[in-house]
Amino acid sequence: MAAGSGCAALPSSRRGLALPFKMAAPAPSTSFLGLSPGSRDPATVRRRSRGPRNRKKGWKRWAGPEARLGREIGDFLEDVVLQQRATGGLIAEQPDEGLFFVDTGNAEKDRQLNKGKEKPLHVDLVLQPDSKVPAPKNILAHQIPNGRKEKRRRQFWEKQAEKGVLPRAERRLRARLQRGAAPPDKALEKGRSDPERGFYDIWGADNPLDQALVGQDGWFLQQTKKQRVKRPARLQTKPLQVPAVEVIAAGGSYNPTFEDHQALLLRAHEVEVRKKKAEDKVERQLKIPEGAELPTAETVFQEQCEGLLEESGDEEDEEAPAAPAEPGDVPKLAPRQEKKTEQQRRREKEARALAARQRREKAARCRRQELFRLRSLRRQVKRWEAELLRRRQARLAKRRAKDALPRRLGPLKYEEPSLEVQLSDELAESLRTLKPEGSVLRDRFKSLQKRSLIEPRERAKFKRRYRLKYVEKRAFREVTL
């Protein structure tokens, strides 16, 4: 022990760490000189407690000889655990033969012996376990299905083999080897990894896998589940014949020509004009006509009371009973129709027969005249057929135009994205100054909507469940200006 030291410790060596076992308190300082009447020696002042000292986290926060002692004890214990995990025990307890060895070999001879051996990589050495404690054994990894049964069967046939009895499969194999293997009827198939093997389309009509099923009955294939499910024709067609990636107009490219850029500007101008017309139409419909009086409280009340009082008097007039008839009035009788004579009936019959004969003669005369109107009728029929063809083509074009539009898959309609256009003074002079426009994600999202693969959507609106409550803090309320 050194003179004047406050602790006694064993000398540390390579075999282990010495554990301090005693610590003396420092003597109070007597060289403190206070300037004020109330000053005290800092050594005699009791410090504020900084938490429990019997735990390791208290050792780090607490300063003093005890704290240093606690940290040294913790380091010592951690070192002991590390030595036990790495070497299976303390290094101080290991013999010299376990720690050192005397190299009596020849370096040249070792180099010749280890010439063909590969040295493992450092990454593989890092992954090797450095602990001498074996890993826990995974019992499930060593279990074999029906292990006990297979073990009893193997032991049974071992006993039978000692008696000269072999299983049937073994007997057949030995008999085949004695007879000699028969020549193979067909060539062996090449494996999957053979690069010289043939390739074929499994979905094609000449698929060799389906050659055995060619010519078989459809009912047989259906019952044996060897017949493929027929793919519906509707699954072969796309919802819309719109390309997945549409090429923008020539005016939107880098360094476009003057005509192409002006055409793109005209297209963007027409879009803005249509939007402006729609807004003006809504404003015009909602605008109060000129010269009309604005509604007041009196006119609003009168309109609400409309039909409550005046209609009641009209209903009383309508429900008033009709005046009774006077007793002296005689009801008028319908005029009596005289009976027709035989002569009148004969004349009417002759007049009807004459009118029918005249109509028949006129129809026959018109049919004879139609023979001379064959050319005009032919031209009229051609005009009718041309008109029907025009209407059919118009309906077909209208149907095709409607099919080319995005379908209504949800409550919202598809809206065309805004055109990405730059003015003439905004065009980039070089690729260095070119700025990206638009968003690839938004473009793909709009393309899926336009091809009717997903329904048009809009951003979900945030709806607050509870309304905001404003509270005035006390500190703010106490401030007065």
Side-chain angles (χ1 to χ4, degrees):
M1 182 185 301
S5 62
C7 64
L10 295 175
S12 60
S13 64
R14 61 171 178 81
R15 295 179 177 269
L17 297 178
L19 178 63
F21 58 87
K22 186 177 181 181
M23 179 67 67
S29 176
T30 56
S31 60
F32 176 74
L33 179 60
L35 300 178
S36 59
S39 59
R40 293 182 296 175
D41 189 355
T44 60
V45 178
R46 184 179 182 182
R47 295 188 179 182
R48 181 172 55 88
S49 176
R50 296 182 178 270
R53 305 180 187 178
N54 60 343
R55 296 186 180 180
K56 191 172 182 180
K57 64 179 182 179
W59 301 346
K60 299 180 180 180
R61 295 184 300 178
W62 187 52
E66 293 84 354
R68 289 193 298 271
L69 176 61
R71 284 193 288 270
E72 291 177 1
I73 294 175
D75 296 340
F76 171 76
L77 295 178
E78 290 179 0
D79 184 64
V80 169
V81 173
L82 179 60
Q83 292 179 19
Q84 292 178 352
R85 184 171 67 249
T87 62
L90 293 178
I91 298 177
E93 298 176 357
Q94 295 289 340
D96 294 342
E97 292 78 6
L99 298 176
F100 306 99
F101 68 93
V102 179
D103 189 3
T104 60
N106 189 358
E108 187 65 25
K109 183 178 180 181
D110 294 342
R111 191 179 301 107
Q112 294 295 333
L113 292 176
N114 299 329
K115 187 175 182 180
K117 298 181 180 180
E118 296 182 358
K119 184 179 179 181
L121 300 177
H122 180 68
V123 291
D124 297 332
L125 294 176
V126 171
L127 297 178
Q128 294 296 330
D130 57 349
S131 177
K132 299 298 181 178
V133 179
K137 183 179 180 180
N138 187 6
I139 302 177
L140 299 179
H142 300 278
Q143 288 183 353
I144 301 176
N146 301 327
R148 295 183 179 178
K149 184 177 179 181
E150 295 294 336
K151 183 179 180 180
R152 289 195 301 268
R153 180 181 300 176
R154 187 170 56 254
Q155 293 175 355
F156 170 76
W157 283 113
E158 288 177 357
K159 294 180 181 179
Q160 295 295 328
E162 294 177 358
K163 300 177 183 179
V165 180
L166 299 177
R168 182 171 179 269
E170 187 69 19
R171 292 196 306 269
R172 293 184 61 183
L173 179 59
R174 293 191 177 187
R176 182 179 177 184
L177 293 176
Q178 291 177 1
R179 291 193 308 266
D185 298 338
K186 58 180 181 179
L188 299 177
E189 297 182 358
K190 299 181 180 180
R192 295 183 178 181
S193 60
D194 190 357
E196 297 181 358
R197 66 186 180 91
F199 293 91
Y200 54 86
D201 184 9
I202 61 175
W203 305 110
D206 55 347
N207 182 8
L209 300 178
D210 297 341
Q211 295 299 327
L213 305 179
V214 175
Q216 296 289 346
D217 185 24
W219 177 257
F220 168 76
L221 297 176
Q222 182 179 359
Q223 295 300 321
T224 56
K225 301 184 183 300
K226 293 182 180 181
Q227 187 177 12
R228 291 182 180 177
V229 179
K230 185 178 180 181
R231 187 178 180 85
R234 59 182 178 82
L235 297 180
Q236 305 291 349
T237 59
K238 297 181 180 179
L240 291 178
Q241 302 300 328
V242 179
V245 180
E246 299 184 22
V247 182
I248 63 173
S253 62
Y254 165 70
N255 195 13
T257 61
F258 179 77
E259 293 78 7
D260 295 339
H261 188 254
Q262 290 299 319
L264 183 62
L265 289 178
L266 178 60
R267 182 179 170 187
H269 174 71
E270 292 175 354
V271 173
E272 296 298 329
V273 168
R274 286 196 296 269
K275 292 182 181 179
K276 181 63 177 175
K277 286 184 178 180
E279 294 176 359
D280 295 343
K281 181 179 179 180
V282 174
E283 292 181 359
R284 187 169 56 253
Q285 292 176 350
L286 298 178
K287 184 179 179 181
I288 299 177
E290 297 182 358
E293 297 181 358
L294 296 177
T296 60
E298 183 178 356
T299 56
V300 171
F301 178 74
Q302 184 178 1
E303 183 179 358
Q304 293 177 352
C305 297
E306 192 73 27
L308 297 179
L309 301 177
E310 290 116 10
E311 290 183 0
S312 60
D314 298 342
E315 293 177 358
E316 292 177 359
D317 298 341
E318 292 177 0
E319 294 177 359
E326 296 181 1
D329 295 343
V330 179
K332 297 181 180 181
L333 300 177
R336 185 176 181 180
Q337 187 177 5
E338 297 180 359
K339 186 177 181 181
K340 294 182 181 180
T341 61
E342 191 68 25
Q343 185 179 7
Q344 290 176 348
R345 294 178 180 174
R346 187 181 68 253
R347 289 178 179 177
E348 289 180 357
K349 184 177 181 180
E350 293 177 355
R352 290 195 298 271
L354 179 61
R357 186 173 65 254
Q358 290 177 354
R359 286 195 298 272
R360 288 194 297 271
E361 292 176 356
K362 184 177 180 180
R365 189 168 56 254
C366 290
R367 284 195 297 270
R368 289 192 297 270
Q369 292 293 334
E370 292 291 339
L371 296 176
F372 304 99
R373 296 181 63 247
L374 290 178
R375 294 183 178 179
S376 62
L377 291 176
R378 190 179 295 110
R379 289 193 297 268
Q380 186 176 2
V381 170
K382 288 183 178 180
R383 286 196 299 270
W384 286 349
E385 291 179 353
E387 180 65 20
L388 292 177
L389 180 61
R390 186 191 63 82
R391 292 181 180 180
R392 190 181 302 110
Q393 292 177 353
R395 288 195 301 270
L396 183 60
K398 185 177 180 180
R399 188 180 300 110
R400 289 178 179 176
K402 185 178 180 180
D403 293 341
L405 296 177
R407 299 179 182 177
R408 186 74 175 268
L409 302 179
L412 301 177
K413 292 184 179 181
Y414 172 75
E415 296 182 1
E416 288 287 344
S418 58
L419 291 175
E420 300 292 343
V421 61
Q422 291 184 349
L423 301 179
S424 300
D425 54 350
E426 296 177 353
L427 293 176
E429 298 179 356
S430 63
L431 288 174
R432 292 179 179 271
T433 58
L434 185 65
K435 297 180 180 179
E437 295 182 354
S439 173
V440 178
L441 181 61
R442 184 179 298 275
D443 179 70
R444 293 295 87 212
F445 188 67
K446 282 291 184 180
S447 176
L448 293 175
Q449 293 181 359
K450 188 174 183 179
R451 289 181 287 161
S452 299
L453 298 180
I454 61 174
E455 71 279 5
R457 306 171 186 177
E458 64 179 1
R459 191 177 184 87
K461 298 179 180 179
F462 173 73
K463 185 177 181 181
R464 194 179 298 278
R465 186 174 181 182
Y466 302 104
R467 64 181 182 86
L468 291 177
K469 182 178 180 181
Y470 295 93
V471 180
E472 192 176 282
K473 293 185 177 181
R474 182 182 302 174
F476 178 79
R477 187 167 56 247
E478 292 178 354
V479 175
T480 56
L481 299 178

